[in-house]
mmCIF file of all heavy atoms in Angstrom:
data_model
loop_
_atom_site.group_PDB
_atom_site.id
_atom_site.type_symbol
_atom_site.label_atom_id
_atom_site.label_comp_id
_atom_site.label_asym_id
_atom_site.label_seq_id
_atom_site.Cartn_x
_atom_site.Cartn_y
_atom_site.Cartn_z
ATOM 1 N N HIS U 155 -0.467 8.364 0.350
ATOM 2 C CA HIS U 155 -0.021 9.649 -0.198
ATOM 3 C C HIS U 155 -0.747 10.761 0.546
ATOM 4 O O HIS U 155 -1.977 10.814 0.566
ATOM 5 C CB HIS U 155 -0.335 9.712 -1.695
ATOM 6 C CG HIS U 155 0.006 11.019 -2.323
ATOM 7 N ND1 HIS U 155 1.302 11.424 -2.531
ATOM 8 C CD2 HIS U 155 -0.781 12.025 -2.777
ATOM 9 C CE1 HIS U 155 1.298 12.609 -3.105
ATOM 10 N NE2 HIS U 155 0.042 12.995 -3.251
ATOM 11 N N GLN U 156 0.020 11.652 1.175
ATOM 12 C CA GLN U 156 -0.571 12.732 1.949
ATOM 13 C C GLN U 156 -0.056 14.072 1.454
ATOM 14 O O GLN U 156 1.128 14.207 1.125
ATOM 15 C CB GLN U 156 -0.225 12.601 3.427
ATOM 16 C CG GLN U 156 -0.824 13.699 4.274
ATOM 17 C CD GLN U 156 -0.512 13.557 5.746
ATOM 18 O OE1 GLN U 156 0.161 12.627 6.177
ATOM 19 N NE2 GLN U 156 -0.999 14.483 6.530
ATOM 20 N N ILE U 157 -0.953 15.040 1.420
ATOM 21 C CA ILE U 157 -0.560 16.417 1.165
ATOM 22 C C ILE U 157 -0.992 17.262 2.359
ATOM 23 O O ILE U 157 -2.000 16.978 3.003
ATOM 24 C CB ILE U 157 -1.148 16.987 -0.141
ATOM 25 C CG1 ILE U 157 -2.675 16.929 -0.137
ATOM 26 C CG2 ILE U 157 -0.564 16.264 -1.342
ATOM 27 C CD1 ILE U 157 -3.333 17.670 -1.279
ATOM 28 N N ARG U 158 -0.180 18.273 2.657
ATOM 29 C CA ARG U 158 -0.498 19.245 3.705
ATOM 30 C C ARG U 158 -0.441 20.616 3.052
ATOM 31 O O ARG U 158 0.506 20.912 2.314
ATOM 32 C CB ARG U 158 0.490 19.127 4.857
ATOM 33 C CG ARG U 158 0.471 17.733 5.482
ATOM 34 C CD ARG U 158 1.503 17.597 6.562
ATOM 35 N NE ARG U 158 1.024 18.315 7.755
ATOM 36 C CZ ARG U 158 1.795 18.633 8.789
ATOM 37 N NH1 ARG U 158 3.081 18.330 8.788
ATOM 38 N NH2 ARG U 158 1.285 19.255 9.835
ATOM 39 N N LEU U 159 -1.437 21.453 3.324
ATOM 40 C CA LEU U 159 -1.606 22.712 2.611
ATOM 41 C C LEU U 159 -1.749 23.885 3.569
ATOM 42 O O LEU U 159 -2.582 23.845 4.479
ATOM 43 C CB LEU U 159 -2.875 22.656 1.745
ATOM 44 C CG LEU U 159 -3.020 21.447 0.822
ATOM 45 C CD1 LEU U 159 -4.442 21.337 0.313
ATOM 46 C CD2 LEU U 159 -2.026 21.534 -0.317
ATOM 47 N N ALA U 160 -0.969 24.926 3.355
ATOM 48 C CA ALA U 160 -1.160 26.218 4.015
ATOM 49 C C ALA U 160 -1.716 27.153 2.940
ATOM 50 O O ALA U 160 -1.083 27.358 1.897
ATOM 51 C CB ALA U 160 0.154 26.753 4.575
ATOM 52 N N MET U 161 -2.882 27.688 3.196
ATOM 53 C CA MET U 161 -3.549 28.513 2.198
ATOM 54 C C MET U 161 -2.999 29.943 2.216
ATOM 55 O O MET U 161 -2.516 30.420 3.239
ATOM 56 C CB MET U 161 -5.058 28.543 2.455
ATOM 57 C CG MET U 161 -5.684 27.145 2.612
ATOM 58 S SD MET U 161 -5.254 25.968 1.318
ATOM 59 C CE MET U 161 -6.358 26.463 0.030
ATOM 60 N N ASP U 195 -5.785 20.219 9.026
ATOM 61 C CA ASP U 195 -4.474 19.699 9.405
ATOM 62 C C ASP U 195 -4.189 20.132 10.843
ATOM 63 O O ASP U 195 -4.343 21.306 11.180
ATOM 64 C CB ASP U 195 -3.396 20.250 8.470
ATOM 65 C CG ASP U 195 -2.050 19.589 8.688
ATOM 66 O OD1 ASP U 195 -1.320 20.006 9.592
ATOM 67 O OD2 ASP U 195 -1.748 18.648 7.924
ATOM 68 N N GLY U 197 -1.413 20.059 14.051
ATOM 69 C CA GLY U 197 -0.061 19.778 14.502
ATOM 70 C C GLY U 197 1.041 20.365 13.660
ATOM 71 O O GLY U 197 2.127 19.812 13.582
ATOM 72 N N GLY U 198 0.787 21.494 13.037
ATOM 73 C CA GLY U 198 1.837 22.106 12.235
ATOM 74 C C GLY U 198 1.371 23.399 11.630
ATOM 75 O O GLY U 198 0.294 23.898 11.934
ATOM 76 N N GLY U 199 2.152 23.938 10.736
ATOM 77 C CA GLY U 199 1.851 25.216 10.119
ATOM 78 C C GLY U 199 1.008 25.095 8.870
ATOM 79 O O GLY U 199 1.184 25.875 7.928
ATOM 80 N N PHE U 200 0.102 24.135 8.850
ATOM 81 C CA PHE U 200 -0.738 23.915 7.673
ATOM 82 C C PHE U 200 -2.202 24.014 8.070
ATOM 83 O O PHE U 200 -2.568 23.781 9.217
ATOM 84 C CB PHE U 200 -0.440 22.547 7.046
ATOM 85 C CG PHE U 200 0.964 22.459 6.534
ATOM 86 C CD1 PHE U 200 1.986 21.989 7.345
ATOM 87 C CD2 PHE U 200 1.274 22.887 5.255
ATOM 88 C CE1 PHE U 200 3.286 21.934 6.898
ATOM 89 C CE2 PHE U 200 2.583 22.841 4.793
ATOM 90 C CZ PHE U 200 3.590 22.362 5.610
ATOM 91 N N ASP U 201 -3.050 24.349 7.099
ATOM 92 C CA ASP U 201 -4.477 24.525 7.356
ATOM 93 C C ASP U 201 -5.285 23.261 7.075
ATOM 94 O O ASP U 201 -6.195 22.923 7.828
ATOM 95 C CB ASP U 201 -5.019 25.664 6.481
ATOM 96 C CG ASP U 201 -4.276 26.961 6.705
ATOM 97 O OD1 ASP U 201 -4.187 27.403 7.866
ATOM 98 O OD2 ASP U 201 -3.761 27.529 5.705
ATOM 99 N N TYR U 202 -4.964 22.581 5.978
ATOM 100 C CA TYR U 202 -5.736 21.427 5.533
ATOM 101 C C TYR U 202 -4.803 20.331 5.056
ATOM 102 O O TYR U 202 -3.637 20.572 4.752
ATOM 103 C CB TYR U 202 -6.685 21.809 4.375
ATOM 104 C CG TYR U 202 -7.652 22.886 4.762
ATOM 105 C CD1 TYR U 202 -7.420 24.212 4.423
ATOM 106 C CD2 TYR U 202 -8.798 22.585 5.498
ATOM 107 C CE1 TYR U 202 -8.289 25.217 4.806
ATOM 108 C CE2 TYR U 202 -9.676 23.582 5.880
ATOM 109 C CZ TYR U 202 -9.414 24.901 5.535
ATOM 110 O OH TYR U 202 -10.278 25.892 5.918
ATOM 111 N N GLY U 203 -5.348 19.137 4.975
ATOM 112 C CA GLY U 203 -4.585 18.024 4.464
ATOM 113 C C GLY U 203 -5.493 17.021 3.791
ATOM 114 O O GLY U 203 -6.722 17.053 3.954
ATOM 115 N N ALA U 204 -4.873 16.139 3.027
ATOM 116 C CA ALA U 204 -5.608 15.058 2.372
ATOM 117 C C ALA U 204 -4.712 13.827 2.350
ATOM 118 O O ALA U 204 -3.494 13.937 2.225
ATOM 119 C CB ALA U 204 -5.999 15.459 0.950
ATOM 120 N N LEU U 205 -5.342 12.678 2.490
ATOM 121 C CA LEU U 205 -4.644 11.391 2.458
ATOM 122 C C LEU U 205 -5.382 10.494 1.478
ATOM 123 O O LEU U 205 -6.613 10.356 1.554
ATOM 124 C CB LEU U 205 -4.650 10.750 3.851
ATOM 125 C CG LEU U 205 -4.119 9.322 3.926
ATOM 126 C CD1 LEU U 205 -2.611 9.312 3.758
ATOM 127 C CD2 LEU U 205 -4.512 8.690 5.251
ATOM 128 N N TYR U 217 -3.738 7.180 -10.046
ATOM 129 C CA TYR U 217 -4.215 8.272 -9.208
ATOM 130 C C TYR U 217 -3.560 9.598 -9.614
ATOM 131 O O TYR U 217 -4.238 10.613 -9.791
ATOM 132 C CB TYR U 217 -3.919 7.958 -7.733
ATOM 133 C CG TYR U 217 -3.866 9.167 -6.846
ATOM 134 C CD1 TYR U 217 -5.023 9.796 -6.418
ATOM 135 C CD2 TYR U 217 -2.641 9.709 -6.451
ATOM 136 C CE1 TYR U 217 -4.974 10.931 -5.626
ATOM 137 C CE2 TYR U 217 -2.579 10.837 -5.657
ATOM 138 C CZ TYR U 217 -3.752 11.449 -5.246
ATOM 139 O OH TYR U 217 -3.684 12.569 -4.471
ATOM 140 N N LEU U 231 -4.220 24.665 -6.506
ATOM 141 C CA LEU U 231 -2.845 25.141 -6.284
ATOM 142 C C LEU U 231 -2.709 26.664 -6.238
ATOM 143 O O LEU U 231 -1.924 27.175 -5.435
ATOM 144 C CB LEU U 231 -1.890 24.533 -7.312
ATOM 145 C CG LEU U 231 -1.569 23.052 -7.094
ATOM 146 C CD1 LEU U 231 -0.712 22.516 -8.235
ATOM 147 C CD2 LEU U 231 -0.881 22.822 -5.754
ATOM 148 N N VAL U 234 -2.896 27.957 -2.697
ATOM 149 C CA VAL U 234 -1.962 27.417 -1.710
ATOM 150 C C VAL U 234 -0.699 28.264 -1.629
ATOM 151 O O VAL U 234 -0.113 28.629 -2.649
ATOM 152 C CB VAL U 234 -1.603 25.955 -2.079
ATOM 153 C CG1 VAL U 234 -0.513 25.410 -1.172
ATOM 154 C CG2 VAL U 234 -2.849 25.081 -2.017
ATOM 155 N N GLN U 235 -0.280 28.536 -0.400
ATOM 156 C CA GLN U 235 0.982 29.236 -0.184
ATOM 157 C C GLN U 235 2.124 28.245 -0.027
ATOM 158 O O GLN U 235 3.156 28.377 -0.667
ATOM 159 C CB GLN U 235 0.877 30.119 1.062
ATOM 160 C CG GLN U 235 2.123 30.924 1.330
ATOM 161 C CD GLN U 235 1.874 31.965 2.409
ATOM 162 O OE1 GLN U 235 0.759 32.429 2.602
ATOM 163 N NE2 GLN U 235 2.925 32.329 3.106
ATOM 164 N N ASN U 236 1.942 27.242 0.841
ATOM 165 C CA ASN U 236 2.974 26.236 1.095
ATOM 166 C C ASN U 236 2.342 24.847 1.075
ATOM 167 O O ASN U 236 1.208 24.673 1.536
ATOM 168 C CB ASN U 236 3.653 26.471 2.447
ATOM 169 C CG ASN U 236 4.305 27.831 2.520
ATOM 170 O OD1 ASN U 236 4.996 28.248 1.608
ATOM 171 N ND2 ASN U 236 4.053 28.542 3.605
ATOM 172 N N MET U 237 3.123 23.868 0.594
ATOM 173 C CA MET U 237 2.598 22.513 0.451
ATOM 174 C C MET U 237 3.690 21.495 0.698
ATOM 175 O O MET U 237 4.846 21.699 0.322
ATOM 176 C CB MET U 237 2.040 22.337 -0.963
ATOM 177 C CG MET U 237 1.535 20.964 -1.273
ATOM 178 S SD MET U 237 0.846 20.951 -2.947
ATOM 179 C CE MET U 237 0.753 19.208 -3.228
ATOM 180 N N ILE U 238 3.292 20.417 1.332
ATOM 181 C CA ILE U 238 4.155 19.246 1.481
ATOM 182 C C ILE U 238 3.405 18.060 0.892
ATOM 183 O O ILE U 238 2.215 17.872 1.132
ATOM 184 C CB ILE U 238 4.480 18.965 2.956
ATOM 185 C CG1 ILE U 238 5.403 20.029 3.525
ATOM 186 C CG2 ILE U 238 5.111 17.591 3.115
ATOM 187 C CD1 ILE U 238 5.726 19.865 4.989
ATOM 188 N N SER U 239 4.105 17.262 0.105
ATOM 189 C CA SER U 239 3.589 16.018 -0.449
ATOM 190 C C SER U 239 4.488 14.904 0.089
ATOM 191 O O SER U 239 5.715 14.989 -0.029
ATOM 192 C CB SER U 239 3.672 16.083 -1.976
ATOM 193 O OG SER U 239 3.497 14.818 -2.550
ATOM 194 N N GLN U 240 3.883 13.890 0.702
ATOM 195 C CA GLN U 240 4.715 12.820 1.263
ATOM 196 C C GLN U 240 4.033 11.470 1.076
ATOM 197 O O GLN U 240 2.822 11.393 0.929
ATOM 198 C CB GLN U 240 5.005 13.091 2.738
ATOM 199 C CG GLN U 240 3.770 13.302 3.572
ATOM 200 C CD GLN U 240 4.079 13.956 4.907
ATOM 201 O OE1 GLN U 240 5.075 14.641 5.064
ATOM 202 N NE2 GLN U 240 3.220 13.736 5.877
ATOM 203 N N ASP U 241 4.855 10.439 1.074
ATOM 204 C CA ASP U 241 4.351 9.085 0.881
ATOM 205 C C ASP U 241 4.918 8.153 1.932
ATOM 206 O O ASP U 241 6.099 8.261 2.299
ATOM 207 C CB ASP U 241 4.738 8.572 -0.512
ATOM 208 C CG ASP U 241 4.067 9.375 -1.600
ATOM 209 O OD1 ASP U 241 2.842 9.266 -1.746
ATOM 210 O OD2 ASP U 241 4.763 10.130 -2.300
ATOM 211 N N HIS U 258 6.099 11.516 -10.410
ATOM 212 C CA HIS U 258 5.960 12.966 -10.243
ATOM 213 C C HIS U 258 6.751 13.718 -11.317
ATOM 214 O O HIS U 258 6.224 14.652 -11.935
ATOM 215 C CB HIS U 258 6.448 13.394 -8.852
ATOM 216 C CG HIS U 258 5.490 13.074 -7.763
ATOM 217 N ND1 HIS U 258 4.462 13.906 -7.395
ATOM 218 C CD2 HIS U 258 5.405 11.992 -6.941
ATOM 219 C CE1 HIS U 258 3.786 13.366 -6.402
ATOM 220 N NE2 HIS U 258 4.341 12.209 -6.108
ATOM 221 N N ILE U 272 3.111 24.664 -9.700
ATOM 222 C CA ILE U 272 3.965 24.243 -8.581
ATOM 223 C C ILE U 272 5.025 25.317 -8.297
ATOM 224 O O ILE U 272 5.289 25.652 -7.143
ATOM 225 C CB ILE U 272 4.627 22.881 -8.885
ATOM 226 C CG1 ILE U 272 3.577 21.766 -8.927
ATOM 227 C CG2 ILE U 272 5.729 22.562 -7.885
ATOM 228 C CD1 ILE U 272 2.888 21.478 -7.607
ATOM 229 N N LEU U 275 4.085 28.259 -5.996
ATOM 230 C CA LEU U 275 3.899 28.091 -4.554
ATOM 231 C C LEU U 275 5.038 28.764 -3.799
ATOM 232 O O LEU U 275 6.170 28.841 -4.284
ATOM 233 C CB LEU U 275 3.871 26.602 -4.205
ATOM 234 C CG LEU U 275 2.742 25.774 -4.821
ATOM 235 C CD1 LEU U 275 2.925 24.302 -4.482
ATOM 236 C CD2 LEU U 275 1.384 26.264 -4.371
ATOM 237 N N GLY U 276 4.747 29.216 -2.594
ATOM 238 C CA GLY U 276 5.796 29.776 -1.754
ATOM 239 C C GLY U 276 6.839 28.734 -1.414
ATOM 240 O O GLY U 276 8.040 28.992 -1.428
ATOM 241 N N SER U 277 6.377 27.516 -1.101
ATOM 242 C CA SER U 277 7.282 26.391 -0.884
ATOM 243 C C SER U 277 6.559 25.098 -1.217
ATOM 244 O O SER U 277 5.343 24.995 -1.081
ATOM 245 C CB SER U 277 7.798 26.357 0.566
ATOM 246 O OG SER U 277 6.762 26.012 1.458
ATOM 247 N N TYR U 278 7.337 24.134 -1.685
ATOM 248 C CA TYR U 278 6.812 22.808 -2.024
ATOM 249 C C TYR U 278 7.887 21.798 -1.686
ATOM 250 O O TYR U 278 8.989 21.853 -2.213
ATOM 251 C CB TYR U 278 6.448 22.741 -3.508
ATOM 252 C CG TYR U 278 5.999 21.376 -3.978
ATOM 253 C CD1 TYR U 278 4.934 20.721 -3.366
ATOM 254 C CD2 TYR U 278 6.621 20.762 -5.039
ATOM 255 C CE1 TYR U 278 4.511 19.479 -3.810
ATOM 256 C CE2 TYR U 278 6.215 19.505 -5.489
ATOM 257 C CZ TYR U 278 5.158 18.876 -4.875
ATOM 258 O OH TYR U 278 4.744 17.644 -5.302
ATOM 259 N N GLU U 279 7.574 20.886 -0.775
ATOM 260 C CA GLU U 279 8.520 19.871 -0.345
ATOM 261 C C GLU U 279 7.880 18.503 -0.502
ATOM 262 O O GLU U 279 6.675 18.368 -0.480
ATOM 263 C CB GLU U 279 8.862 20.048 1.137
ATOM 264 C CG GLU U 279 9.516 21.351 1.495
ATOM 265 C CD GLU U 279 9.746 21.472 2.990
ATOM 266 O OE1 GLU U 279 9.944 20.436 3.655
ATOM 267 O OE2 GLU U 279 9.714 22.593 3.488
ATOM 268 N N GLY U 280 8.747 17.490 -0.629
ATOM 269 C CA GLY U 280 8.245 16.140 -0.544
ATOM 270 C C GLY U 280 8.497 15.257 -1.718
ATOM 271 O O GLY U 280 9.448 15.453 -2.478
ATOM 272 N N SER U 281 7.592 14.285 -1.888
ATOM 273 C CA SER U 281 7.795 13.208 -2.836
ATOM 274 C C SER U 281 7.830 13.651 -4.290
ATOM 275 O O SER U 281 8.341 12.934 -5.131
ATOM 276 C CB SER U 281 6.723 12.126 -2.633
ATOM 277 O OG SER U 281 5.429 12.698 -2.647
ATOM 278 N N GLY U 282 7.307 14.810 -4.593
ATOM 279 C CA GLY U 282 7.359 15.290 -5.958
ATOM 280 C C GLY U 282 8.559 16.144 -6.280
ATOM 281 O O GLY U 282 8.684 16.655 -7.375
ATOM 282 N N VAL U 283 9.447 16.298 -5.319
ATOM 283 C CA VAL U 283 10.604 17.173 -5.458
ATOM 284 C C VAL U 283 11.859 16.310 -5.615
ATOM 285 O O VAL U 283 12.001 15.309 -4.917
ATOM 286 C CB VAL U 283 10.739 18.067 -4.208
ATOM 287 C CG1 VAL U 283 11.937 18.978 -4.298
ATOM 288 C CG2 VAL U 283 9.471 18.872 -4.003
ATOM 289 N N GLY U 286 13.384 14.391 -2.815
ATOM 290 C CA GLY U 286 12.356 14.517 -1.785
ATOM 291 C C GLY U 286 12.004 13.201 -1.184
ATOM 292 O O GLY U 286 12.446 12.163 -1.511
#
Side-chain angles (χ1 to χ4, degrees):
H155 176 71
Q156 180 179 0
I157 58 171
R158 300 177 75 195
L159 309 165
M161 309 310 280
D195 188 277
F200 296 91
D201 303 306
Y202 301 99
L205 172 73
Y217 158 77
L231 287 175
V234 173
Q235 182 169 333
N236 301 314
M237 177 177 165
I238 290 177
S239 166
Q240 55 197 24
D241 295 291
H258 284 273
I272 293 294
L275 298 175
S277 70
Y278 175 56
E279 298 177 30
S281 52
V283 179

